[in-house]
């Protein structure tokens, strides 16, 4: 191709390629709905590059090939916004929203834009937690992009914005002569995690949150760097608009609004969308304060599931004519309101870093914080995971730290506010000895965790292993909580799991916070646990690397505890999905004399795994049944065994979570309770039907 001059056919092919690639970008990055495969897209792109390389004179800045970044800048130029970039008034309470709506209605009534008794109409959308950007299009071409700055002047980031594939370089038809689009640049949470991971691997700066990462990525002099960052853009407003025809709101003082072929904010955003700009799909047109509050609640409930961070919602009076009448105060429009969610990030003081000992001896550093209200709850503790994590974040006692709690996720310490670090702080050092049993703490080379080497000598490990064994997925002993286990272990009453089965109600009732009734319930729950499915008993032992699934596979494979205990590593490898590490761990566990003793002691205490481990079906999977009264044919044990074998659970007490109460003759208070709570009550025949179903 080189050497000759481009003929008309080639020019046309080039134009068609550019259009089609731009359209595919829009489908992929704006609509989230690609219509071609990556390979097809790549073919179009390489053909485009081929032509542009052969005929550099045909290169234009709007070409989709120009998204890879340009030569680095020496400094950012300043840009004066044609129309100032405003801020929003904030509301935190429902009352603020009602007051806003009332002010709007009063003004619109007076101006004759609303009738008495009529509700005001609003457009409601997300308040994106990113960076405000203004994009300037002239004759449909992106000519400038600027940050908000102080609202009047910002920084020229055109070279960087060009690399965002969701920002059209050329608008689709129906655009005005000049259009300033306002919107937000942000990074999806998942992309943010990936970016940070990559940054860490390269030993580069870790960003504290997606907004920070978006800001850092946009304020790059080298747009080649920005091009590698997963930035997204959403349009939500506008600045200057010139010459879109006079079909709009002729007669209004605002040039911008007059130029637009729209009468409402919602129509403006629809128009933006038609021009190929990304606009979020959660926007709604609503009426009245209660409509707004419902939107707030709905979005609030979805907040944690959204792909990106939002810090609230924004309400805008929908009719542009009404916006005009309402006007502005100071730097914010009177026609709009930001309704903020409770902050998901706050700063507080890091008072101390403690270490906690887990079931397998793993030592977890825990941040003790000056209590802070964040994400709707008060947070005083947060896990720091492990030594490396504390080092990576470099949080130190005395630091002011950023604490984050998003949705129902456990709170985390994001990092220190370095500007506020007091003098004399020191980096965290993992203690050499266990804070509970004083045994040495060791850290194996290829592991992130440090461990207490005390094993079951360590009271902390003993407590955790008993709690694990009593857990829902193991022996499922209801009513055996942390406080009681603390007391039982600290008093020396319980040394191993087997001791649990020797407890009686009288002695239990003497412990703190134990009434007679809860003691009796607990004894009954412990009694029920004497007939566990083999897989549950195996899981309850807390063998390293043996989770629920492995326990189930091993139980199915061997059929009895004796067989598993007798198995060597080679035979263990025959279990589905069991590799050398797991096989070794199981064999080592059972080779340990004190572990064999615990199992013997369990057998002595009457704990015997059910031979039928594998539920004959999963007919009662996830169901909890309570037995009460005497059944005509089956003993209670027999009924319980069959329920367990069908994948169900048997509980000693009735609650809202109970699936069925099986009532026999002389059923007592459990039957009454079931009727009160509206729990289904069946008889033995009903149970048999369930089991056969
Ligand atoms: S409209 C005419 N809409 O919030 C009003 N702003 O506090 C101009 N923001 O700097 C702003 N989401 O960065 C508007 N849906 C949204 C927004 C939004 C986020 C940001 C924007 C602005 C700040 C104002």
């Amino acid at each position: 191709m080189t050497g000759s001059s481009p003929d008309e056919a080639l020019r046309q092919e080039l134009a068609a390629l550019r259009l089609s690639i731009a359209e595919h970008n829009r489908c992929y990055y704006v609509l989230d709905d690609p219509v071609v495969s990556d390979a097809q897209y790549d073919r179009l792109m390489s053909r485009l590059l081929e032509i542009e390389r052969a005929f550099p004179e045909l290169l234009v800045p709007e070409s989709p090939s120009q998204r890879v970044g340009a030569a680095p800048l020496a400094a950012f130029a300043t840009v004066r916004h044609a129309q100032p970039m405003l801020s929003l008034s904030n509301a935190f309470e429902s009352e603020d929203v009602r007051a806003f709506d009332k002010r709007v209605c009063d003004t619109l009534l007076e101006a004759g834009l609303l009738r008495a008794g009529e509700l005001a109409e609003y457009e409601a959308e997300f308040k994106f937690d990113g960076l405000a950007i203004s994009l300037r299009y002239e004759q449909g071409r992106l000519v400038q992009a600027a940050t908000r700055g102080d609202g009047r002047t910002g920084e020229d980031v055109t070279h960087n914005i060009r690399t965002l594939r969701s920002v059209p370089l050329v608008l689709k038809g129906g655009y005005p002569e000049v259009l300033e689009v306002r919107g937000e640049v942000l990074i999806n949470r998942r992309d943010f995690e990936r970016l940070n991971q990559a940054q860490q691997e390269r030993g580069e700066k870790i960003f504290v949150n997606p907004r920070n990462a978006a800001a850092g990525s946009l304020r790059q002099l080298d747009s080649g760097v920005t091009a590698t960052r997963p930035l997204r853009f959403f349009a939500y407003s506008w600045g200057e608009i010139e010459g879109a025809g006079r079909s709009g709101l002729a007669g209004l003082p605002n040039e911008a609004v007059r130029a637009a072929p729209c009468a409402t904010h919602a129509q403006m955003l629809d128009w933006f969308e038609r021009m190929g700009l990304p606009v979020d799909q959660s926007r709604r047109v609503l009426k009245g304060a209660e409509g707004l509050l419902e939107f707030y609640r709905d979005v609030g409930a979805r907040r944690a599931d959204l792909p990106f961070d939002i810090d609230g919602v924004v309400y805008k009076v929908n009719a542009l004519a009404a916006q005009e009448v309402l006007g502005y105060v100071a730097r914010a429009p009177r026609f709009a309101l930001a309704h903020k969610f409770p902050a998901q990030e706050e700063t507080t003081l890091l008072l101390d870093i403690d270490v906690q000992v887990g079931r397998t001896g793993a030592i977890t550093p825990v941040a003790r914080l000056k209590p802070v209200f964040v994400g709707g709850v008060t947070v005083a503790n947060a896990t720091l995971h492990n030594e490396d994590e504390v080092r990576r974040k470099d949080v130190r006692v005395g630091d002011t730290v950023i604490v984050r709690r998003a949705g129902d996720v456990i709170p985390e310490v994001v990092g220190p506010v370095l500007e506020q670090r007091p003098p004399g702080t020191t980096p965290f050092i993992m203690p050499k000895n266990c804070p509970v049993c004083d045994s040495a703490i060791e850290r194996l080379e290829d592991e992130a965790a440090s461990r207490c080497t005390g094993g079951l000598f360590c009271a902390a490990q003993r407590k955790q292993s008993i709690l694990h064994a009593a857990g829902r997925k193991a022996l499922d002993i209801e009513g055996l909580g942390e406080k009681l286990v603390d007391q039982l272990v600290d008093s020396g009453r319980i040394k191993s799991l087997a001791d649990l089965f020797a407890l009686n109600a009288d002695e239990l009732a003497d412990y703190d916070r134990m009434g007679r009734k809860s003691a009796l319930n607990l004894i009954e729950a412990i009694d029920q646990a004497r007939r566990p499915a083999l897989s549950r008993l195996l899981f309850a032992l807390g063998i390293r690397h043996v989770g629920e699934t492995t326990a189930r596979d091993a139980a199915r494979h061997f059929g009895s505890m004796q067989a598993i205990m007798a198995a060597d590593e080679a035979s263990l490898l025959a279990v589905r999905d069991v590799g050398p590490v797991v096989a070794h761990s199981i064999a080592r566990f059972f080779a340990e004399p004190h572990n064999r003793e615990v199992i013997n002691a369990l057998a002595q205490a009457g704990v015997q795994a059910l031979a039928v481990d594998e539920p004959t079906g999963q007919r009662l999977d996830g169901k909890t049944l309570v037995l009460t009264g005497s059944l005509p044919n089956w003993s209670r044990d027999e009924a319980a065994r069959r329920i367990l074998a069908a994948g169900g659970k048997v509980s000693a007490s009735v609650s809202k979570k109970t699936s069925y109460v099986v009532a026999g003759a002389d059923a007592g208070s459990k039957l009454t309770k079931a009727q009160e709570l509206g729990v289904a009550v069946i008889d033995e025949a009903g149970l048999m039907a369930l089991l056969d179903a």
Side-chain angles (χ1 to χ4, degrees):
M1 243 186 294
T2 332
S4 59
S5 68
D7 61 14
E8 191 47 34
L10 201 68
R11 284 176 193 275
Q12 274 177 15
E13 184 190 352
L14 187 63
L17 275 170
R18 284 178 179 159
L19 266 181
S20 127
I21 294 174
E23 182 59 16
H24 291 321
N25 276 342
R26 190 175 78 91
C27 291
Y28 191 97
Y29 294 101
V30 178
L31 307 179
D32 267 335
D33 187 16
V35 292
V36 290
S37 69
D38 288 1
Q40 279 169 296
Y41 178 89
D42 291 344
R43 270 198 295 280
L44 294 173
M45 192 56 126
S46 39
R47 175 68 183 151
L48 173 71
L49 291 172
E50 187 185 15
I51 300 178
E52 288 181 348
R53 259 197 305 270
F55 303 104
E57 65 270 32
L58 294 184
L59 248 180
V60 289
E62 295 80 43
S63 171
S65 64
Q66 300 306 294
R67 301 246 191 211
V68 289
L73 302 180
F76 292 107
T78 357
V79 170
R80 202 179 163 80
H81 303 298
Q83 298 244 342
M85 290 180 79
L86 304 168
S87 55
L88 292 168
S89 313
N90 288 328
F92 293 92
E93 310 292 338
S94 306
E95 276 325 300
D96 303 337
V97 176
R98 294 195 181 98
F100 161 75
D101 175 56
K102 183 165 184 320
R103 281 196 304 277
V104 166
C105 289
D106 289 349
T107 310
L108 296 187
L109 268 171
E110 203 171 307
L113 288 172
L114 196 73
R115 280 193 297 274
E118 205 183 349
L119 295 177
E121 188 175 273
Y122 299 93
E123 194 265 348
E125 53 198 61
F126 290 157
K127 184 167 192 319
F128 304 97
D129 196 6
L131 232 83
I133 282 288
S134 183
L135 308 178
R136 187 175 173 91
Y137 288 89
E138 289 176 4
Q139 316 304 335
R141 286 181 157 58
L142 178 67
V143 293
Q144 193 167 62
T147 61
R148 179 169 186 275
D150 62 6
R152 301 217 160 264
T153 52
E155 281 174 334
D156 187 337
V157 288
T158 317
H159 61 304
N160 288 334
I161 287 294
R162 284 182 165 282
T163 68
L164 270 67
R165 287 180 166 72
S166 59
V167 171
L169 299 175
V170 182
L171 294 175
K172 291 169 37 128
Y175 50 77
E177 282 163 28
V178 174
L179 170 64
E180 266 183 14
V181 178
R182 303 278 162 84
E184 203 90 345
V185 167
L186 47 84
I187 292 188
N188 278 2
R189 276 195 291 268
R190 197 179 299 159
D191 290 333
F192 162 75
E193 300 291 342
R194 258 185 242 140
L195 170 61
N196 257 356
Q197 217 155 24
Q199 290 286 101
Q200 191 182 359
E201 276 159 23
R202 285 195 301 263
E204 281 172 29
K205 180 186 157 80
I206 304 288
F207 298 104
V208 290
N209 55 33
R211 175 165 30 82
N212 194 276
S217 303
L218 209 55
R219 295 197 71 266
Q220 280 285 339
L221 290 167
D222 182 355
S223 54
V225 174
T226 312
T228 67
R229 302 281 170 82
L231 295 169
R232 313 186 54 178
F233 173 78
F234 287 112
Y236 51 61
S237 183
W238 58 90
E240 188 182 12
I241 301 180
E242 281 280 342
R246 300 281 147 173
S247 58
L249 296 166
L252 283 174
N254 184 324
E255 268 299 315
V257 168
R258 202 184 314 145
C262 305
T264 64
H265 198 94
Q267 287 173 10
M268 287 292 286
L269 296 186
D270 293 347
W271 181 42
F272 285 2
E273 215 169 25
R274 288 197 300 277
M275 288 188 280
L277 290 157
V279 186
D280 184 69
Q281 298 305 310
S282 297
R283 63 187 193 275
R284 294 283 176 274
V285 172
L286 305 161
K287 284 202 155 103
E290 299 315 308
L292 299 181
L293 293 172
E294 195 182 318
F295 180 78
Y296 177 81
R297 282 189 297 270
D298 285 353
V299 173
R302 287 168 48 210
R303 183 186 186 192
D305 302 324
L306 296 176
F308 44 77
D309 284 348
I310 59 174
D311 56 352
V313 293
V314 182
Y315 312 132
K316 296 168 181 172
V317 171
N318 199 23
L320 301 183
Q323 292 192 357
E324 278 297 315
V325 167
L326 285 153
Y328 301 81
V329 277
R331 314 288 307 278
R334 267 205 211 89
F335 57 79
L337 184 73
H339 191 182
K340 304 279 280 270
F341 292 131
Q344 289 187 321
E345 285 190 359
E346 284 295 346
T347 55
T348 190
L349 213 56
L350 178 59
L351 302 173
D352 207 351
I353 300 178
D354 280 350
V355 295
Q356 271 176 3
V357 191
R359 174 171 63 83
T360 59
I363 305 274
T364 310
V366 179
R368 304 293 179 204
L369 304 162
K370 182 168 173 227
V372 60
F373 191 72
V374 54
V377 297
T378 301
V379 174
N381 305 302
T383 173
L384 288 166
H385 304 288
N386 56 50
E387 193 178 7
D388 290 346
E389 184 81 357
V390 187
R391 288 263 169 76
R392 183 174 74 77
K393 290 183 171 160
D394 187 27
V395 285
R396 304 180 183 188
V397 174
D399 268 343
T400 295
V401 292
I402 300 170
V403 177
R404 178 178 174 85
R405 182 186 181 269
D408 293 330
V409 180
I410 54 167
E412 67 163 338
V413 174
V414 176
V417 183
L418 286 177
E419 300 76 51
Q420 292 182 38
R421 173 167 285 172
T425 60
T426 48
F428 169 76
I429 299 172
M430 184 56 85
K432 299 239 171 330
N433 296 87
C434 171
V436 176
C437 72
D438 206 38
S439 305
I441 288 178
E442 69 170 17
R443 180 170 169 190
L444 300 183
E445 227 165 69
D446 51 351
E447 282 195 10
S450 310
R451 285 175 204 283
C452 158
T453 51
L456 289 179
F457 168 73
C458 176
Q461 293 189 48
R462 231 177 307 146
K463 287 175 187 172
Q464 292 300 323
S465 60
I466 286 168
L467 283 169
H468 166 80
R472 278 173 56 88
K473 292 172 175 171
L475 300 180
D476 195 12
I477 303 177
E478 240 180 272
L480 187 66
E482 206 167 317
K483 292 267 154 27
L484 182 61
V485 171
D486 277 354
Q487 297 177 60
L488 290 167
V489 171
D490 290 340
S491 66
R493 177 65 186 87
I494 286 195
K495 295 202 175 57
S496 87
L497 187 54
D499 295 339
L500 203 59
F501 291 88
L503 290 172
N504 64 55
D506 288 339
E507 59 175 324
L508 273 182
D510 287 342
Y511 284 93
D512 282 355
R513 306 185 200 208
M514 281 298 270
R516 178 86 200 145
K517 189 152 168 7
S518 36
L520 281 170
N521 282 340
L522 178 54
I523 291 299
E524 194 172 339
I526 292 175
D527 203 34
Q528 292 268 357
R530 285 193 161 88
R531 292 267 173 282
L534 177 58
S535 58
R536 283 174 171 266
L537 182 57
L538 196 55
F539 177 64
L541 295 175
I543 305 168
R544 268 192 89 190
H545 304 300
V546 178
E548 263 176 289
T549 315
T550 307
R552 210 174 304 131
D553 290 341
R556 195 179 301 169
H557 186 89
F558 290 103
S560 77
M561 189 58 93
Q562 285 70 21
I564 298 172
M565 288 172 76
D568 59 11
E569 282 183 41
S571 9
L572 284 161
L573 280 171
V575 177
R576 190 173 69 171
D577 288 341
V578 166
V581 174
V582 182
H584 179 69
S585 171
I586 299 177
R588 218 182 74 173
F589 181 90
F590 289 114
E592 197 70 57
H594 71 253
N595 288 335
R596 302 182 82 93
E597 272 162 34
V598 169
I599 290 165
N600 288 336
L602 280 171
Q604 301 249 287
V607 180
Q608 204 185 356
L610 288 168
V612 207
D613 183 73
E614 224 7 71
T616 35
Q618 296 290 321
R619 291 184 296 264
L620 292 182
D621 219 18
K623 301 269 189 295
T624 303
L625 287 82
V626 173
L627 298 164
T628 177
S630 46
L631 305 179
N633 298 296
W634 286 341
S635 70
R636 267 220 229 174
D637 270 2
E638 175 77 4
R641 195 186 60 72
R642 288 175 186 257
I643 291 168
L644 293 169
K649 287 199 314 181
V650 179
S651 165
S653 53
V654 182
S655 76
K656 274 187 293 199
K657 290 191 212 130
T658 309
S659 319
Y660 300 98
V661 166
V662 185
D666 304 322
S669 63
K670 289 180 191 170
L671 178 57
T672 328
K673 181 96 183 272
Q675 285 156 348
E676 274 169 25
L677 294 176
V679 171
V681 177
I682 56 174
D683 58 7
E684 188 192 67
L687 175 61
M688 289 177 172
L690 271 184
L691 291 168
D692 281 340

